[in-house]
Amino acid sequence: MKPLSTRTLKNILKIGFILSDFFAYPLRIFFMSGAVFAILACSGLIFAPSVFINLHQFIFLQSFLGAAFAGFLLTALPLWCEVKSSLKPLSISLFVLLCLAFVAEIFSFDFTLSYGIMSLFWFILLCQACLWLIKSKNTKNIALVLVLFGIFVLSLMKNFAYELNLDYAYIHLCVLATLVVSFRVSLVLGNDALSSLSNPNLSFLPNAVLKNISCFLLFVFIVAILWGKSANLNAFLAFGVGFSLLSRLSSWHYSVFFRTHYTLILYLLFLSLSLVYIGLGFVYLLDISYLSFATHALNLLVLLAFVLFVFNTVSLKHTQNQIFNLSCGTRLSFIALFFAALSRSFLALFAYSFYIVIPALLVLFVFVYFIYKFFPIYKNNGFQGE
């Protein structure tokens, strides 16, 4: 057996250093792995739709969103709680659990085993978040813990009852999580946009009361979905969520926010979210068989788009030598997600190709571009804690 060449050894060491760096700064490994999960799910839908029509649900709702939340929380919470210890053991453990759950779902088709592993994943993430917050006496982020607890409970319930209502409730709970996270993100980006003006006394503070109202209504809506007794109640609550979200848009009605590309994108995401929930209200009220289409619009246009926005924002803000400016390819990615949602939720009624293939291709482009854009950035630049 020939010994490894010097060049091969250097490549192995280089890969080892990159992996070590990625696990030390969890946003890198989890955002990249989340994009890979999305690519695998879309590729499966394109080339083996009969197999992946059920599998893609687990991959997007558990593997992809699990990686997204882990990447964000393991970056944000240590900074907010001033954690000084290494994050590498925790990020490796959570990454292994994500991979094991994915393999269990793909190769065994045993949703009990895969959801059991993901329940453990969410439990570890929940316990670690609680530990950090308690040690630092941080009471400002209790909402994140409550949302994590809800996600853990719903994932655990999937081990005992495979019901559609659990999936719908889980999706809305993930939207609730994005609302909690996006409040922090909008606070930072709003003030970034104002910094371009000559007046140093200007500051931006989103309306926390309206945020709390919309989050509370969404929580009640989730409970109503789990209860599953009244479509009219669901409709009433969906309208409440949609209109409360619309009322939050008034904070952004200033010309500087419409002239700045990233605040304009965030505004359009909030607008889309409110319109989707108003649309869901009509679906429940009129009792039309359109719930699956409307939920896919929520997933593609809002949930994936918000996650992509957070991926880009956190990556650029926490990487050295980066100017916060969303590239043309990233802006095209949001347009691609809009057309994916339009295809799956409306055009699919007229042609089957709009049902699976076209939305999958568009989402595939979005996350292939994300890896193409950010892998070199992660690899060649250090982490920025502030």
Side-chain angles (χ1 to χ4, degrees), residues 218-242:
L218 185 50
F219 171 75
V220 178
F221 180 52
I222 292 166
V223 174
I225 289 174
L226 289 171
W227 187 40
K229 296 296 183 182
S230 173
N232 287 338
L233 175 61
N234 291 353
F236 173 77
L237 290 169
F239 282 133
V241 173

PDB file of all heavy atoms in Angstrom, residues 218-242:
ATOM      1  N   LEU A 218     -50.889  34.418  16.970  1.00  0.00           N
ATOM      2  CA  LEU A 218     -50.367  33.263  16.246  1.00  0.00           C
ATOM      3  C   LEU A 218     -50.287  32.044  17.167  1.00  0.00           C
ATOM      4  O   LEU A 218     -50.587  30.923  16.750  1.00  0.00           O
ATOM      5  CB  LEU A 218     -48.988  33.588  15.661  1.00  0.00           C
ATOM      6  CG  LEU A 218     -48.342  32.526  14.768  1.00  0.00           C
ATOM      7  CD1 LEU A 218     -49.302  32.041  13.684  1.00  0.00           C
ATOM      8  CD2 LEU A 218     -47.071  33.074  14.134  1.00  0.00           C
ATOM      9  N   PHE A 219     -49.902  32.264  18.427  1.00  0.00           N
ATOM     10  CA  PHE A 219     -49.870  31.167  19.387  1.00  0.00           C
ATOM     11  C   PHE A 219     -51.272  30.584  19.596  1.00  0.00           C
ATOM     12  O   PHE A 219     -51.463  29.356  19.606  1.00  0.00           O
ATOM     13  CB  PHE A 219     -49.300  31.655  20.719  1.00  0.00           C
ATOM     14  CG  PHE A 219     -49.434  30.656  21.831  1.00  0.00           C
ATOM     15  CD1 PHE A 219     -48.609  29.535  21.882  1.00  0.00           C
ATOM     16  CD2 PHE A 219     -50.393  30.828  22.827  1.00  0.00           C
ATOM     17  CE1 PHE A 219     -48.747  28.605  22.896  1.00  0.00           C
ATOM     18  CE2 PHE A 219     -50.535  29.901  23.843  1.00  0.00           C
ATOM     19  CZ  PHE A 219     -49.709  28.785  23.881  1.00  0.00           C
ATOM     20  N   VAL A 220     -52.273  31.446  19.762  1.00  0.00           N
ATOM     21  CA  VAL A 220     -53.653  30.979  19.936  1.00  0.00           C
ATOM     22  C   VAL A 220     -54.126  30.239  18.683  1.00  0.00           C
ATOM     23  O   VAL A 220     -54.837  29.219  18.769  1.00  0.00           O
ATOM     24  CB  VAL A 220     -54.589  32.157  20.273  1.00  0.00           C
ATOM     25  CG1 VAL A 220     -56.036  31.675  20.406  1.00  0.00           C
ATOM     26  CG2 VAL A 220     -54.148  32.836  21.559  1.00  0.00           C
ATOM     27  N   PHE A 221     -53.724  30.733  17.517  1.00  0.00           N
ATOM     28  CA  PHE A 221     -54.059  30.079  16.253  1.00  0.00           C
ATOM     29  C   PHE A 221     -53.471  28.659  16.212  1.00  0.00           C
ATOM     30  O   PHE A 221     -54.129  27.713  15.771  1.00  0.00           O
ATOM     31  CB  PHE A 221     -53.519  30.922  15.091  1.00  0.00           C
ATOM     32  CG  PHE A 221     -53.791  30.363  13.724  1.00  0.00           C
ATOM     33  CD1 PHE A 221     -55.065  29.993  13.334  1.00  0.00           C
ATOM     34  CD2 PHE A 221     -52.759  30.232  12.804  1.00  0.00           C
ATOM     35  CE1 PHE A 221     -55.318  29.494  12.059  1.00  0.00           C
ATOM     36  CE2 PHE A 221     -52.987  29.731  11.536  1.00  0.00           C
ATOM     37  CZ  PHE A 221     -54.272  29.358  11.162  1.00  0.00           C
ATOM     38  N   ILE A 222     -52.245  28.504  16.687  1.00  0.00           N
ATOM     39  CA  ILE A 222     -51.607  27.182  16.734  1.00  0.00           C
ATOM     40  C   ILE A 222     -52.392  26.242  17.649  1.00  0.00           C
ATOM     41  O   ILE A 222     -52.640  25.079  17.307  1.00  0.00           O
ATOM     42  CB  ILE A 222     -50.149  27.316  17.211  1.00  0.00           C
ATOM     43  CG1 ILE A 222     -49.314  28.044  16.159  1.00  0.00           C
ATOM     44  CG2 ILE A 222     -49.530  25.940  17.501  1.00  0.00           C
ATOM     45  CD1 ILE A 222     -47.965  28.522  16.667  1.00  0.00           C
ATOM     46  N   VAL A 223     -52.806  26.760  18.812  1.00  0.00           N
ATOM     47  CA  VAL A 223     -53.605  25.951  19.742  1.00  0.00           C
ATOM     48  C   VAL A 223     -54.924  25.546  19.093  1.00  0.00           C
ATOM     49  O   VAL A 223     -55.379  24.395  19.228  1.00  0.00           O
ATOM     50  CB  VAL A 223     -53.851  26.732  21.046  1.00  0.00           C
ATOM     51  CG1 VAL A 223     -54.815  25.959  21.965  1.00  0.00           C
ATOM     52  CG2 VAL A 223     -52.538  26.986  21.776  1.00  0.00           C
ATOM     53  N   ALA A 224     -55.554  26.471  18.366  1.00  0.00           N
ATOM     54  CA  ALA A 224     -56.825  26.175  17.694  1.00  0.00           C
ATOM     55  C   ALA A 224     -56.648  25.100  16.626  1.00  0.00           C
ATOM     56  O   ALA A 224     -57.516  24.232  16.453  1.00  0.00           O
ATOM     57  CB  ALA A 224     -57.391  27.456  17.079  1.00  0.00           C
ATOM     58  N   ILE A 225     -55.523  25.141  15.912  1.00  0.00           N
ATOM     59  CA  ILE A 225     -55.249  24.109  14.899  1.00  0.00           C
ATOM     60  C   ILE A 225     -55.087  22.746  15.557  1.00  0.00           C
ATOM     61  O   ILE A 225     -55.611  21.731  15.078  1.00  0.00           O
ATOM     62  CB  ILE A 225     -53.993  24.484  14.085  1.00  0.00           C
ATOM     63  CG1 ILE A 225     -54.282  25.661  13.160  1.00  0.00           C
ATOM     64  CG2 ILE A 225     -53.499  23.291  13.265  1.00  0.00           C
ATOM     65  CD1 ILE A 225     -53.072  26.178  12.430  1.00  0.00           C
ATOM     66  N   LEU A 226     -54.374  22.701  16.674  1.00  0.00           N
ATOM     67  CA  LEU A 226     -54.204  21.436  17.398  1.00  0.00           C
ATOM     68  C   LEU A 226     -55.541  20.928  17.937  1.00  0.00           C
ATOM     69  O   LEU A 226     -55.798  19.716  17.961  1.00  0.00           O
ATOM     70  CB  LEU A 226     -53.208  21.614  18.542  1.00  0.00           C
ATOM     71  CG  LEU A 226     -51.732  21.791  18.135  1.00  0.00           C
ATOM     72  CD1 LEU A 226     -50.901  22.176  19.343  1.00  0.00           C
ATOM     73  CD2 LEU A 226     -51.192  20.520  17.498  1.00  0.00           C
ATOM     74  N   TRP A 227     -56.380  21.843  18.372  1.00  0.00           N
ATOM     75  CA  TRP A 227     -57.712  21.469  18.862  1.00  0.00           C
ATOM     76  C   TRP A 227     -58.563  20.934  17.714  1.00  0.00           C
ATOM     77  O   TRP A 227     -59.237  19.913  17.845  1.00  0.00           O
ATOM     78  CB  TRP A 227     -58.364  22.685  19.508  1.00  0.00           C
ATOM     79  CG  TRP A 227     -59.659  22.399  20.187  1.00  0.00           C
ATOM     80  CD1 TRP A 227     -59.974  21.298  20.939  1.00  0.00           C
ATOM     81  CD2 TRP A 227     -60.821  23.235  20.200  1.00  0.00           C
ATOM     82  NE1 TRP A 227     -61.257  21.387  21.420  1.00  0.00           N
ATOM     83  CE2 TRP A 227     -61.805  22.571  20.985  1.00  0.00           C
ATOM     84  CE3 TRP A 227     -61.130  24.469  19.649  1.00  0.00           C
ATOM     85  CZ2 TRP A 227     -63.072  23.105  21.206  1.00  0.00           C
ATOM     86  CZ3 TRP A 227     -62.375  25.012  19.874  1.00  0.00           C
ATOM     87  CH2 TRP A 227     -63.335  24.334  20.638  1.00  0.00           C
ATOM     88  N   GLY A 228     -58.496  21.615  16.582  1.00  0.00           N
ATOM     89  CA  GLY A 228     -59.099  21.123  15.353  1.00  0.00           C
ATOM     90  C   GLY A 228     -60.599  20.975  15.367  1.00  0.00           C
ATOM     91  O   GLY A 228     -61.150  20.087  14.710  1.00  0.00           O
ATOM     92  N   LYS A 229     -61.298  21.829  16.087  1.00  0.00           N
ATOM     93  CA  LYS A 229     -62.747  21.665  16.210  1.00  0.00           C
ATOM     94  C   LYS A 229     -63.552  22.656  15.379  1.00  0.00           C
ATOM     95  O   LYS A 229     -64.690  22.386  15.022  1.00  0.00           O
ATOM     96  CB  LYS A 229     -63.155  21.816  17.684  1.00  0.00           C
ATOM     97  CG  LYS A 229     -62.587  20.749  18.610  1.00  0.00           C
ATOM     98  CD  LYS A 229     -63.110  19.358  18.273  1.00  0.00           C
ATOM     99  CE  LYS A 229     -62.590  18.322  19.263  1.00  0.00           C
ATOM    100  NZ  LYS A 229     -63.048  16.971  18.928  1.00  0.00           N
ATOM    101  N   SER A 230     -62.977  23.814  15.072  1.00  0.00           N
ATOM    102  CA  SER A 230     -63.778  24.870  14.428  1.00  0.00           C
ATOM    103  C   SER A 230     -62.982  25.572  13.341  1.00  0.00           C
ATOM    104  O   SER A 230     -62.009  26.277  13.643  1.00  0.00           O
ATOM    105  CB  SER A 230     -64.252  25.873  15.486  1.00  0.00           C
ATOM    106  OG  SER A 230     -64.885  26.972  14.865  1.00  0.00           O
ATOM    107  N   ALA A 231     -63.422  25.393  12.089  1.00  0.00           N
ATOM    108  CA  ALA A 231     -62.778  26.093  10.980  1.00  0.00           C
ATOM    109  C   ALA A 231     -63.033  27.592  11.065  1.00  0.00           C
ATOM    110  O   ALA A 231     -62.176  28.399  10.691  1.00  0.00           O
ATOM    111  CB  ALA A 231     -63.291  25.544   9.650  1.00  0.00           C
ATOM    112  N   ASN A 232     -64.212  27.978  11.571  1.00  0.00           N
ATOM    113  CA  ASN A 232     -64.525  29.404  11.703  1.00  0.00           C
ATOM    114  C   ASN A 232     -63.612  30.081  12.721  1.00  0.00           C
ATOM    115  O   ASN A 232     -63.195  31.223  12.531  1.00  0.00           O
ATOM    116  CB  ASN A 232     -65.984  29.580  12.122  1.00  0.00           C
ATOM    117  CG  ASN A 232     -66.949  29.274  10.991  1.00  0.00           C
ATOM    118  OD1 ASN A 232     -66.573  29.327   9.815  1.00  0.00           O
ATOM    119  ND2 ASN A 232     -68.187  28.937  11.332  1.00  0.00           N
ATOM    120  N   LEU A 233     -63.310  29.377  13.813  1.00  0.00           N
ATOM    121  CA  LEU A 233     -62.381  29.925  14.803  1.00  0.00           C
ATOM    122  C   LEU A 233     -60.996  30.079  14.188  1.00  0.00           C
ATOM    123  O   LEU A 233     -60.325  31.108  14.392  1.00  0.00           O
ATOM    124  CB  LEU A 233     -62.312  29.002  16.025  1.00  0.00           C
ATOM    125  CG  LEU A 233     -61.291  29.382  17.105  1.00  0.00           C
ATOM    126  CD1 LEU A 233     -61.613  30.758  17.681  1.00  0.00           C
ATOM    127  CD2 LEU A 233     -61.252  28.328  18.210  1.00  0.00           C
ATOM    128  N   ASN A 234     -60.562  29.074  13.423  1.00  0.00           N
ATOM    129  CA  ASN A 234     -59.276  29.168  12.733  1.00  0.00           C
ATOM    130  C   ASN A 234     -59.241  30.357  11.791  1.00  0.00           C
ATOM    131  O   ASN A 234     -58.228  31.068  11.698  1.00  0.00           O
ATOM    132  CB  ASN A 234     -58.999  27.880  11.946  1.00  0.00           C
ATOM    133  CG  ASN A 234     -58.730  26.688  12.848  1.00  0.00           C
ATOM    134  OD1 ASN A 234     -58.618  26.839  14.065  1.00  0.00           O
ATOM    135  ND2 ASN A 234     -58.631  25.510  12.267  1.00  0.00           N
ATOM    136  N   ALA A 235     -60.340  30.566  11.072  1.00  0.00           N
ATOM    137  CA  ALA A 235     -60.426  31.691  10.133  1.00  0.00           C
ATOM    138  C   ALA A 235     -60.312  33.015  10.878  1.00  0.00           C
ATOM    139  O   ALA A 235     -59.550  33.914  10.478  1.00  0.00           O
ATOM    140  CB  ALA A 235     -61.745  31.628   9.375  1.00  0.00           C
ATOM    141  N   PHE A 236     -61.059  33.149  11.971  1.00  0.00           N
ATOM    142  CA  PHE A 236     -61.047  34.384  12.771  1.00  0.00           C
ATOM    143  C   PHE A 236     -59.628  34.685  13.266  1.00  0.00           C
ATOM    144  O   PHE A 236     -59.146  35.821  13.176  1.00  0.00           O
ATOM    145  CB  PHE A 236     -62.010  34.221  13.943  1.00  0.00           C
ATOM    146  CG  PHE A 236     -61.966  35.364  14.926  1.00  0.00           C
ATOM    147  CD1 PHE A 236     -62.590  36.563  14.643  1.00  0.00           C
ATOM    148  CD2 PHE A 236     -61.292  35.227  16.133  1.00  0.00           C
ATOM    149  CE1 PHE A 236     -62.535  37.625  15.545  1.00  0.00           C
ATOM    150  CE2 PHE A 236     -61.234  36.271  17.037  1.00  0.00           C
ATOM    151  CZ  PHE A 236     -61.863  37.475  16.744  1.00  0.00           C
ATOM    152  N   LEU A 237     -58.950  33.657  13.769  1.00  0.00           N
ATOM    153  CA  LEU A 237     -57.602  33.851  14.306  1.00  0.00           C
ATOM    154  C   LEU A 237     -56.587  34.134  13.193  1.00  0.00           C
ATOM    155  O   LEU A 237     -55.671  34.940  13.368  1.00  0.00           O
ATOM    156  CB  LEU A 237     -57.182  32.624  15.112  1.00  0.00           C
ATOM    157  CG  LEU A 237     -57.937  32.438  16.431  1.00  0.00           C
ATOM    158  CD1 LEU A 237     -57.646  31.074  17.033  1.00  0.00           C
ATOM    159  CD2 LEU A 237     -57.571  33.542  17.418  1.00  0.00           C
ATOM    160  N   ALA A 238     -56.739  33.459  12.046  1.00  0.00           N
ATOM    161  CA  ALA A 238     -55.838  33.721  10.918  1.00  0.00           C
ATOM    162  C   ALA A 238     -55.973  35.163  10.442  1.00  0.00           C
ATOM    163  O   ALA A 238     -54.970  35.835  10.144  1.00  0.00           O
ATOM    164  CB  ALA A 238     -56.119  32.754   9.770  1.00  0.00           C
ATOM    165  N   PHE A 239     -57.215  35.653  10.365  1.00  0.00           N
ATOM    166  CA  PHE A 239     -57.430  37.066  10.028  1.00  0.00           C
ATOM    167  C   PHE A 239     -56.763  37.968  11.069  1.00  0.00           C
ATOM    168  O   PHE A 239     -56.133  38.977  10.721  1.00  0.00           O
ATOM    169  CB  PHE A 239     -58.929  37.383   9.963  1.00  0.00           C
ATOM    170  CG  PHE A 239     -59.604  36.921   8.705  1.00  0.00           C
ATOM    171  CD1 PHE A 239     -60.807  36.231   8.757  1.00  0.00           C
ATOM    172  CD2 PHE A 239     -59.049  37.184   7.461  1.00  0.00           C
ATOM    173  CE1 PHE A 239     -61.434  35.804   7.606  1.00  0.00           C
ATOM    174  CE2 PHE A 239     -59.675  36.766   6.294  1.00  0.00           C
ATOM    175  CZ  PHE A 239     -60.867  36.061   6.367  1.00  0.00           C
ATOM    176  N   GLY A 240     -56.904  37.596  12.342  1.00  0.00           N
ATOM    177  CA  GLY A 240     -56.288  38.399  13.398  1.00  0.00           C
ATOM    178  C   GLY A 240     -54.778  38.467  13.261  1.00  0.00           C
ATOM    179  O   GLY A 240     -54.179  39.545  13.392  1.00  0.00           O
ATOM    180  N   VAL A 241     -54.158  37.325  12.967  1.00  0.00           N
ATOM    181  CA  VAL A 241     -52.711  37.298  12.764  1.00  0.00           C
ATOM    182  C   VAL A 241     -52.322  38.164  11.577  1.00  0.00           C
ATOM    183  O   VAL A 241     -51.397  38.979  11.647  1.00  0.00           O
ATOM    184  CB  VAL A 241     -52.211  35.846  12.552  1.00  0.00           C
ATOM    185  CG1 VAL A 241     -50.728  35.836  12.173  1.00  0.00           C
ATOM    186  CG2 VAL A 241     -52.433  35.010  13.808  1.00  0.00           C
ATOM    187  N   GLY A 242     -53.037  37.991  10.452  1.00  0.00           N
ATOM    188  CA  GLY A 242     -52.711  38.730   9.237  1.00  0.00           C
ATOM    189  C   GLY A 242     -52.825  40.227   9.414  1.00  0.00           C
ATOM    190  O   GLY A 242     -51.918  40.988   9.042  1.00  0.00           O
TER     191      GLY A 242
END
